[in-house]
């Protein structure tokens, strides 16, 4: 049952949510004894919900009498029942969220279906008026406003005809539709440009140039959301400093008006630009990237559900280390590590601390810290192994020992099917280049060329420095 939909969702719930769900089903479905028994069994094993205890035959023996027919199938049927209840519960919880537009839209639909005209008009008018009084935070805001206007225009009121709505109402619908079209085209077009820059793809959508031309004619005549993605598209196409500065200034002034998703997208474009400059050996951009991260942390733009991702956390520390800002990095780890996901916090913090120790030249301490970490997340494990082998090289460990470690590292990467393809390739290329360096099987010039030629490779700066064809970034 470990891959069962019910188990996957329950694992993602907090303890208090599981307790609330238990009260919900007890109140509404108290007569379903086996389903409630199954829930109690799963609740007792939450949040782990893995291992032999989750085998359907084991669960059946715990919950059903020996005489039960086809017990394994019965357990699966009851888990399906529980999953449907869980969907109901989560939907209701979502609707209870403060200022959730879905609640207002659903109520408008209910009033409309029952031809409660007065209540329907009040609901739609209030919703549309609220939308008009603030800048849309994302394209969902525009789409919701458009849908509510649509519901009103095409409502079959028993007391009036379609002609009474007036042309002005239809023009309002068209203006909202134009606003949605332009915002969506600019946002998705910008993302295609971003993918093109990162993945060397080349695929612009239909009417992309027309959408850009429309806003270019009068940028300030459009909403802030359209302006934001127009500036983003300009940066992604031109890749110049003026475009970067324009988007950064606009984002700094207006970020609080957008949804968290839009803020993260725009902040990501700025960070990607800085990262691209750093990859081009423009190391002065490291300071700029750190300032972007500081801004994202202080405003919590870089947070997801109140937490920061392990990858982002390590990337920030790594940047600070390359800049030589080791005290800053240590302060960052101390301040922000409590906001890491609890299950990944110890190992993420270990990677971050090992990075700082490595830059301080405390290679023995790096090896000790890495050796104390076990059962890592694959990406964290790959980073820790890279730090371990680099520390071995710095301490001039015996060549055969290092090569054995590299072979085990390479086998680990080959076995792993969780990491992204590009990420795994980056670590694998690092190991291959390092083994050539240790064996001295390729001359420095040729090996440096190979390192530069890899599309993805981790620890590139350190490798080039060891080869003698690069400098440590400062």
């Amino acid at each position: 049952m470990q891959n069962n939909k019910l188990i996957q969702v329950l694992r993602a719930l907090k303890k208090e949510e599981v307790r609330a769900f238990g009260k919900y089903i007890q109140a509404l479905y108290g007569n379903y004894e086996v389903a409630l028994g199954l829930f109690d069994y799963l609740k007792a094993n939450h949040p782990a919900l893995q291992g032999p205890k989750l085998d359907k035959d084991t669960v059946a023996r715990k919950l059903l009498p020996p005489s039960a027919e086809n017990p394994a199938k019965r357990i699966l049927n009851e888990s399906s029942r529980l999953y449907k209840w869980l969907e109901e519960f989560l939907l209701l919880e979502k609707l209870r969220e403060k200022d959730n537009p879905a609640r207002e839209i659903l109520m408008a639909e209910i009033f409309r279906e029952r031809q409660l005209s007065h209540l329907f008009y009040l609901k739609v008018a209030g919703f549309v008026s609220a939308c008009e009084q603030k800048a849309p935070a994302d394209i969902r805001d525009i789409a919701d406003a458009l849908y509510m206007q649509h519901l009103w225009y095409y409502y079959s009121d028993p007391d009036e005809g379609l002609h009474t709505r007036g042309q002005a109402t239809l023009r309002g619908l068209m203006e909202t539709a134009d606003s949605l079209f332009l915002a969506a085209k600019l946002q998705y077009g910008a993302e295609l440009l971003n993918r093109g820059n990162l993945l060397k793809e080349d695929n612009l959508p239909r009417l992309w140039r027309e959408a850009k031309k429309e806003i270019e004619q009068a940028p300030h005549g459009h909403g802030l959301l359209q302006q934001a993605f127009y500036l983003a598209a300009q940066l992604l196409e031109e890749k110049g400093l003026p475009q970067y500065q324009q988007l950064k200034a606009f984002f700094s002034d207006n970020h609080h008006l957008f949804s968290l998703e839009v803020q993260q997208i725009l902040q990501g474009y700025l960070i990607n630009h800085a990262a691209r400059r750093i990859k081009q050996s423009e190391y002065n951009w490291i300071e700029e990237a750190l300032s972007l991260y500081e801004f994202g942390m202080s405003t919590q733009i870089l947070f997801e559900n109140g937490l920061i991702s392990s990858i982002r956390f390590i990337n920030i520390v790594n940047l600070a280390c390359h800049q030589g800002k080791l005290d800053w990095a240590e302060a960052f780890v101390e301040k922000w590590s409590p906001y890491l996901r609890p299950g990944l916090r110890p190992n993420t913090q270990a990677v971050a601390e090992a990075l700082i120790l490595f830059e301080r030249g405390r290679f023995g301490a790096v090896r000790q810290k890495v050796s104390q970490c076990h059962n890592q997340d694959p990406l964290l494990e790959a980073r820790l192994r890279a730090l371990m082998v680099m520390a071995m090289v710095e301490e001039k460990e015996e060549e055969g020992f290092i090569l054995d470690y590299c072979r085990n590292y390479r086998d680990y990467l080959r076995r792993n099917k969780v990491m992204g393809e590009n990420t795994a390739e980056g670590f694998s290329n690092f190991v291959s280049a390092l083994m050539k360096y240790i064996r001295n099987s390729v001359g420095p010039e040729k090996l440096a060329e190979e390192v530069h030629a890899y599309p993805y490779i981790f620890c590139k700066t350190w490798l080039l420095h060891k080869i003698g064809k690069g400098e440590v970034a400062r």
Side-chain angles (χ1 to χ4, degrees), residues 375-439:
N375 302 317
Q376 305 301 321
D377 169 89
L379 186 56
L380 295 179
E381 175 69 13
R383 283 182 175 270
L384 283 167
R385 291 191 183 211
L387 282 165
M388 173 66 91
V389 74
M390 288 160 64
M392 289 178 181
V393 173
E394 294 290 356
E395 287 202 314
K396 297 181 172 53
E397 183 63 74
E398 193 269 323
E399 178 181 314
F401 188 78
I402 296 175
L403 290 173
D404 284 343
Y405 189 91
C406 286
R407 280 188 281 269
N408 290 334
Y409 188 2
R410 187 174 57 193
D411 290 342
Y412 170 80
L413 293 170
R414 286 173 177 167
R415 290 194 307 270
N416 189 276
K417 304 300 180 185
V418 178
M419 274 189 290
E421 184 178 336
N422 295 341
T423 301
E425 183 182 344
F427 283 116
S428 181
N429 289 338
F430 161 72
V431 175
S432 296
L434 180 59
M435 292 178 76
K436 290 177 181 178
Y437 166 74
I438 297 298
R439 291 178 178 136

Side-chain angles (χ1 to χ4, degrees), residues 18 36 157 201 317 323 375 410:
V18 174
L36 292 177
D157 190 327
E201 296 175 345
V317 173
Q323 185 68 0
N375 302 317
R410 187 174 57 193

Side-chain angles (χ1 to χ4, degrees), residues 439-452:
R439 291 178 178 136
N440 198 24
S441 58
V442 178
E445 295 284 350
K446 182 167 176 47
L447 184 53
E449 286 179 12
E450 290 183 12
V451 169
H452 281 298

Side-chain angles (χ1 to χ4, degrees), residues 194 197-198 235 244 267-290 292-293 315 319 460-461:
N194 183 51
N197 291 340
L198 296 175
L235 172 62
Y244 172 84
Q267 174 84 347
Y269 292 157
L270 293 169
I271 290 173
N272 286 348
H273 181 82
R276 186 177 65 82
R277 293 294 191 103
I278 293 166
K279 287 178 181 177
Q280 293 171 347
S281 301
E282 297 180 47
Y283 295 122
N284 57 306
W285 279 83
I286 292 178
E287 194 72 33
E288 180 67 14
L290 285 175
L292 290 172
Y293 279 128
N315 285 343
L319 261 180
K460 180 178 179 180
T461 301

